[in-house]
Amino acid sequence: MLSNVIREEWKSPFPVVYFDNAGRSHQPLSVEKVGLESLSLKTNPWEGLPGSDDEDVQELRYLYSSLINGGSDGSNIALFPSTAFAMSMIAENVVRLNLIKRGESIIILDKEMGSVVYPWQHVCERLGCVMKVIPTPDWTVAGASWTSSIINAIDDSVAILSLPNVHWCDGTLIDLEVISDELKRFGEDGRQNKLLIVDGTQSIGAIPFDVQKIKADAVACSVHKWLLSPYGTSLVYVNPRHHNTWLPLDQHERARAGSQFSVWDEEIFMDARGYFPSEFFGGARRLDAGGRANPIFVPMLRSALKLIHSITVPAIYEHLTSFCDALQLKLSQLPAYHDIFAIAPKEQRGGHILGLRFHDLELLRKVHKTLKEHGIHTSVRGHCLRISPYLSNTIQDANLFQALFFQSIQLHRRDATDHDSNNTCCTKPLRVLITGACGWLAQFMTRSLLTNPGDRPLEVFGAYRPSSPTTKVPVWLLQAYRVEMDLSSPASVDAVITSIQPDIILHFAALSSPVACHKDPAFARLVNAPSHLVDAVQRHVPNALFVFASTDMVYDGESPPYTVSAADGKSLLHPTQAVNVYGATKRAMEELVSQLRYGISLRLSNMIGAPFVYQAGGEKFLQFLSSQLQRRSVIGLKRDEVRSFVYVEDVVRVVSLLIERYVRLTPEATEGLLRETVLNMGGPQPLSRLELAELFSRTQHVPLSVADDEEAAQQMKASSSTDTWVVHVLPSASPIDTRGLDWSTMVTLPLRSPRNIAMDSSATEAALGFTFTKLEDVLPLSSVPR
């Protein structure tokens, strides 16, 4: 499985997000290991330096050649220290063989890589030739493309086409196969007279590439990008028709036939004139740059090429294209983004690179600087923010980038854009205070607020405990205003509310562990039902919207499904009787919130969704299932505890809808925000944890077997196929009834978890015009796309 390869080959760099693989690749661990092993050999040189002998280098040629369909034996591949060196060799042979003459032209692209252009620039200066530069297409014009512009520029004067497969600045596509075919219209031998020289550095290894279809004269590729290797080599395909006429740029013995044998040095084949043998090797090897093959580098490159072969380029391309398409969709959600940057149409992109062409270079520089300062690495190339992910990037990276990118745009846009008719910056921003800002739900909520602020500009304040190390604060949260708040301290809470004067308070902070609440009920009450917080709101911001994240554990679990709304919106059709301290403290806070003018309590079931950047409390349950499934680990799950698992993005959407309603209220309004002050927040399919695992395994197309106990599960695993995931049933929950007991009595008994707290959330859907997402649709979105 691709996910297993990725997990083995790349370390997660969090909190860093690396989107600059078009600059230099995120080196695989296996390649690093080979390099360290090869480096250590030089410590004992008397033992030899295996890995760079002639047969090793020949294997390297073969591996690369088979990657690009460059021949079955690798004889068309030459090795150079850089693509610039290779292009200089090609240009020198073009001049020597009179393949270009005074007044003829060389086609290159606007804002092409300098090292590719300089050799042709030198040719023009020497011979009086002309550089024909293809301008960057206007992606706002239908049908615009590099390919059509290049074809329109080809005429009788063109002798050389020096082109990439994708433009290095933004990943936009050049269809080399179409261009090669177009050259045939210049007569029967027209293809022979116009050379097609390709820089494949930004495509080979990430895009399927076939030199037989392109019919290129030469293709150079630096290996430190999509070939996952260190700096120092360019692998170059040379069309066989040039093998006998092109000469190396530097003269050395490594290109000469016979130099691969030990007898070459043992006998020293110098004749009476002082000449060495002049016969070149056959094939492209004759063009190799001089110097012994690097015994550290060659094994690393060979390992990298084998890894790419094992994954396959089509699989890499499919994965990267899917990732970039999804990221482009996220970025297109920025309001009026066309006024800020342009993105080439999907059909004009290579698929593995996403380029945002900014209209304002100064804004681009500021945004890039902000991203880098907060650990998100991209590149600026030719007015473009170049985003180049790889297999190791995850949905968390995309979420983080989207949030910080949007916030950076808002921070740095020039004053001129503030007067756009769609811009509301002149309206006083609403201040949003999120407690528990480092928590899982808060991260999704903050990202949504920063990227989709709605009709009113927002200032987001994230409150977190003073004990939270700042190094563990989510990177994207650095773009919100961070405030320290000790929820157990009335003075700390009052100071924050007084200084910020929030319009909206999203109270997500809690002592969320039922075990911790059971051990210290007094502290649980202080944190989970802070009357001093409600008091501060009533005194300082009585008209603020207050959304409280409660829990389904306010229900006892004996008479599901549970409903909450009634005719007056406040009485309960199902009285709440929490069976543990955690549920009881949450219910106490609901009573306090009901005293506020715009207080809403959301009874949240277990939330599922994609992992986010920072998870202080370890894995969420769905990510736990995902990791155990991938490892095929035997685990125990309860069958008798039922929950209405809810998609975290649905929770975010509900909160956003509440904010929208609050923003639309007039100062004179006397009615409340909703008739309901308590909302059930459960998905449409109540399931046990075991049933969720069964559903998840089906969405992942992995067979699952269920055993009655752990011993039977281990036996079942031993006899099952390696692809089968085996789980077993955990014993039933404790039958002890703690309903109606006070807290002091509860803690003297074993901790109890409610059995079946399935909720009916149809009233929430009706009140907000909203539909909760089915689990079958959530689960494929909730695993990390590795």
Side-chain angles (χ1 to χ4, degrees):
M1 293 177 65
L2 180 58
S3 58
N4 292 335
V5 174
I6 294 168
R7 205 166 41 247
E8 293 168 358
E9 288 291 353
W10 285 278
K11 295 177 182 177
S12 173
F14 279 129
V16 169
V17 173
Y18 191 67
F19 278 167
D20 194 20
N21 289 277
R24 48 187 173 272
S25 57
H26 187 183
Q27 184 170 274
L29 294 176
S30 62
V31 177
E32 177 188 36
K33 181 181 178 182
V34 168
L36 292 173
E37 291 172 350
S38 300
L39 179 64
S40 68
L41 296 176
K42 190 67 165 60
T43 305
N44 300 323
W46 52 87
E47 295 179 359
L49 295 174
S52 63
D53 295 332
D54 186 69
E55 57 268 25
D56 298 308
V57 178
Q58 291 306 100
E59 183 185 9
L60 199 63
R61 298 182 205 270
Y62 167 76
L63 287 169
Y64 178 67
S65 182
S66 59
L67 198 67
I68 62 172
N69 193 21
S72 60
D73 59 1
S75 63
N76 297 326
I77 307 302
L79 277 66
F80 296 89
S82 68
T83 293
F85 193 108
M87 290 295 179
S88 297
M89 180 276 297
I90 296 168
E92 188 63 29
N93 279 288
V94 165
V95 173
R96 184 179 61 82
L97 295 171
N98 295 315
L99 299 178
I100 188 171
K101 302 175 182 62
R102 175 178 295 275
E104 292 185 327
S105 59
I106 302 169
I107 288 181
I108 62 169
L109 302 185
D110 181 33
K111 297 182 174 64
E112 180 58 284
M113 173 71 176
S115 292
V116 177
V117 174
Y118 274 120
W120 302 118
Q121 179 177 320
H122 185 52
V123 169
C124 290
E125 291 168 345
R126 289 168 64 185
L127 300 184
C129 300
V130 178
M131 206 83 82
K132 184 177 286 189
V133 181
I134 308 300
T136 301
D138 181 353
W139 301 118
T140 64
V141 175
S145 74
W146 284 112
T147 305
S148 60
S149 298
I150 293 167
I151 289 175
N152 291 335
I154 300 174
D155 56 26
D156 292 334
S157 73
V158 173
I160 309 291
L161 292 87
S162 178
L163 302 171
N165 194 187
V166 297
H167 199 289
W168 77 302
C169 290
D170 59 4
T172 45
L173 185 67
I174 296 91
D175 194 328
L176 297 175
E177 187 175 348
V178 170
I179 292 169
S180 180
D181 288 341
E182 180 66 19
L183 295 178
K184 296 176 182 177
R185 69 184 175 92
F186 289 89
E188 199 64 34
D189 64 344
R191 182 64 190 86
Q192 299 292 319
N193 294 334
K194 299 183 187 299
L195 299 186
L196 178 58
I197 311 299
V198 176
D199 176 11
T201 299
Q202 289 296 359
S203 53
I204 295 175
I207 297 180
F209 192 98
D210 189 332
V211 295
Q212 302 305 322
K213 292 180 179 179
I214 295 170
K215 302 179 181 66
D217 291 275
V219 180
C221 180
S222 294
V223 302
H224 60 276
K225 301 178 188 290
W226 303 103
L227 293 183
L228 311 179
S229 299
Y231 287 97
T233 292
S234 179
L235 297 172
V236 181
Y237 165 86
V238 179
N239 193 300
R241 71 189 183 97
H242 300 301
H243 287 182
N244 295 327
T245 57
W246 285 10
L247 296 176
L249 189 63
D250 55 339
Q251 297 295 322
H252 56 88
E253 65 178 10
R254 297 284 173 186
R256 310 294 174 162
S259 63
Q260 74 271 34
F261 303 119
S262 59
V263 68
W264 181 273
D265 288 331
E266 292 169 354
E267 297 190 22
I268 312 294
F269 296 105
M270 180 186 289
D271 65 18
R273 299 171 300 167
Y275 284 21
F276 277 92
S278 59
E279 181 185 357
F280 286 106
F281 279 114
R285 181 177 179 177
R286 64 186 272 141
L287 303 173
D288 280 1
R292 178 187 174 90
N294 189 316
I296 301 168
F297 179 83
V298 169
M300 295 178 74
L301 177 52
R302 190 171 64 238
S303 175
L305 290 174
K306 287 180 177 179
L307 176 61
I308 293 171
H309 274 290
S310 69
I311 300 172
T312 76
V313 173
I316 294 170
Y317 180 64
E318 180 182 0
H319 185 98
L320 296 182
T321 299
S322 176
F323 190 96
C324 286
D325 287 348
L327 185 57
Q328 178 177 358
L329 183 61
K330 287 177 179 290
L331 298 181
S332 65
Q333 295 170 3
L334 179 67
Y337 80 90
H338 290 292
D339 296 335
I340 305 168
F341 56 83
I343 306 178
K346 176 178 169 59
E347 64 273 13
Q348 297 298 335
R349 292 194 289 106
H352 61 306
I353 299 174
L354 191 60
L356 312 182
R357 186 171 297 280
F358 273 64
H359 308 313
D360 183 340
L361 181 58
E362 189 59 30
L363 174 62
L364 169 59
R365 287 170 173 156
K366 290 179 179 178
V367 169
H368 176 256
K369 183 174 183 288
T370 298
L371 292 173
K372 186 174 182 180
E373 287 172 347
H374 294 96
I376 298 181
H377 295 269
T378 57
S379 292
V380 174
R381 296 291 185 271
H383 285 244
C384 291
L385 185 71
R386 187 180 67 187
I387 305 162
S388 49
Y390 201 61
L391 302 180
S392 52
N393 288 115
T394 67
I395 191 66
Q396 303 106 301
D397 295 334
N399 290 340
L400 173 58
F401 178 85
Q402 180 194 25
L404 188 55
F405 178 73
F406 281 18
Q407 188 69 357
S408 299
I409 293 289
Q410 293 170 3
L411 286 173
H412 297 308
R413 285 196 72 182
R414 285 184 169 181
D415 292 341
T417 63
D418 295 340
H419 300 291
D420 185 86
S421 59
N422 294 321
N423 195 296
T424 58
C425 68
C426 296
T427 304
K428 180 182 177 182
L430 289 173
R431 294 191 163 197
V432 182
L433 172 64
I434 303 179
T435 68
C438 291
W440 193 62
L441 171 59
Q443 294 183 66
F444 284 92
M445 192 71 241
T446 305
R447 182 196 68 189
S448 177
L449 293 174
L450 293 177
T451 55
N452 300 291
D455 296 333
R456 288 279 298 272
L458 300 176
E459 291 180 338
V460 180
F461 296 80
Y464 60 96
R465 289 177 296 133
S467 59
S468 298
T470 55
T471 55
K472 290 189 176 181
V473 172
V475 177
W476 56 263
L477 185 56
L478 299 177
Q479 280 302 300
Y481 296 98
R482 291 176 295 148
V483 292
E484 292 185 357
M485 186 175 78
D486 183 354
L487 198 56
S488 65
S489 166
S492 175
V493 170
D494 194 81
V496 169
I497 299 297
T498 302
S499 60
I500 294 177
Q501 293 287 306
D503 301 286
I504 298 166
I505 300 169
L506 307 181
H507 182 42
F508 297 160
L511 185 63
S512 57
S513 166
V515 174
C517 293
H518 192 77
K519 291 180 178 179
D520 193 345
F523 183 67
R525 172 103 194 212
L526 187 62
V527 173
N528 288 351
S531 58
H532 49 277
L533 172 59
V534 175
D535 178 65
V537 172
Q538 288 176 320
R539 286 187 291 108
H540 301 300
V541 285
N543 293 322
L545 171 63
F546 191 101
V547 180
F548 167 54
S550 187
T551 177
D552 54 359
M553 285 197 179
V554 299
Y555 299 119
D556 59 15
E558 300 303 320
S559 55
Y562 290 88
T563 55
V564 71
S565 63
D568 61 4
K570 294 186 179 181
S571 62
L572 304 177
L573 296 179
H574 279 89
T576 54
Q577 297 186 38
V579 299
N580 56 38
V581 173
Y582 174 66
T585 56
K586 287 287 193 173
R587 179 68 189 102
M589 185 61 181
E590 288 182 0
E591 292 289 348
L592 294 170
V593 172
S594 68
Q595 301 170 18
L596 298 172
R597 182 178 183 185
Y598 297 120
I600 299 287
S601 295
L602 305 180
R603 289 181 177 163
L604 301 173
S605 187
N606 290 39
M607 291 181 288
I608 59 175
F612 218 104
V613 178
Y614 170 73
Q615 294 174 198
E619 290 181 311
K620 304 299 290 185
F621 180 63
L622 188 58
Q623 279 67 59
F624 166 75
L625 285 183
S626 180
S627 63
Q628 299 306 305
L629 178 146
Q630 290 177 8
R631 290 194 289 265
R632 302 299 192 271
S633 302
V634 173
I635 58 172
L637 298 169
K638 289 185 178 181
R639 173 180 279 161
D640 64 332
E641 289 187 1
V642 177
R643 306 290 185 260
S644 296
F645 294 94
V646 62
Y647 187 28
V648 65
E649 297 287 6
D650 283 350
V651 179
V652 170
R653 181 60 181 146
V654 165
V655 176
S656 298
L657 289 170
L658 291 172
I659 292 174
E660 288 176 15
R661 291 197 175 200
Y662 173 76
V663 170
R664 290 198 299 267
L665 287 176
T666 62
E668 298 79 19
T670 57
E671 73 280 1
L673 188 68
L674 292 172
R675 292 172 56 202
E676 301 81 1
T677 60
V678 180
L679 300 176
N680 273 350
M681 295 290 293
Q685 298 155 273
L687 295 174
S688 68
R689 286 177 171 81
L690 179 57
E691 291 170 329
L692 182 65
E694 291 173 328
L695 179 60
F696 181 63
S697 67
R698 287 199 297 274
T699 66
Q700 303 300 306
H701 308 291
V702 173
L704 178 103
S705 296
V706 180
D708 292 331
D709 54 45
E710 185 174 6
E711 181 179 356
Q714 295 294 349
Q715 294 174 352
M716 188 178 293
K717 181 179 181 181
S719 61
S720 301
S721 71
T722 55
D723 193 46
T724 300
W725 186 27
V726 179
V727 302
H728 65 87
V729 180
L730 285 179
S732 300
S734 169
I736 298 174
D737 190 354
T738 56
R739 288 177 293 168
L741 299 179
D742 60 34
W743 297 358
S744 60
T745 307
M746 276 185 188
V747 296
T748 64
L749 300 171
L751 173 65
R752 184 184 175 200
S753 182
R755 187 178 62 85
N756 186 337
I757 46 178
M759 295 189 294
D760 179 354
S761 299
S762 58
T764 302
E765 294 178 323
L768 296 172
F770 171 85
T771 302
F772 285 98
T773 309
K774 294 180 180 179
L775 289 180
E776 287 91 343
D777 298 327
V778 172
L779 295 179
L781 303 174
S782 302
S783 57
V784 181
R786 287 286 191 177

